[in-house]
Amino acid sequence: GEPNGFGRQATGASGQTYLQVMSCERLTQLENMIAASRANLAAGGDTFLPETVPALRGGLTSMTTVIAQLKPKCS
């Protein structure tokens, strides 16, 4: 694990659980990736497969919520 990381349990496709660790640096990277994804969807990316867009947007919102909960712990 990371000495300055935050962990949460996750379940893999095989059903096994593992600890997923996110560092403060990784949280910042994820925020940038989410912003870029939202910008690409808004710029027309959501017109290619409109049936998948709600799931994509939902995933971005879920990750934004997780990041918002963890970010205050970074100093």
Side-chain angles (χ1 to χ4, degrees):
E2 303 250 348
N4 295 323
F6 306 103
R8 70 177 190 156
Q9 269 196 354
T11 304
S14 66
Q16 290 184 327
T17 59
Y18 60 94
L19 184 63
Q20 185 176 36
V21 178
M22 286 194 234
S23 65
C24 292
E25 180 181 309
R26 183 66 177 149
L27 292 176
T28 300
Q29 291 171 347
L30 290 171
E31 283 180 318
N32 293 335
M33 292 168 72
I34 288 170
S37 297
R38 284 190 171 135
N40 287 335
L41 285 171
D46 56 358
T47 59
F48 294 105
L49 294 170
E51 63 275 5
T52 63
V53 171
L56 290 171
R57 290 190 189 277
L60 294 173
T61 299
S62 293
M63 277 309 299
T64 300
T65 301
V66 170
I67 291 169
Q69 291 171 350
L70 294 176
K71 198 73 173 181
K73 296 177 184 196
C74 295
S75 51

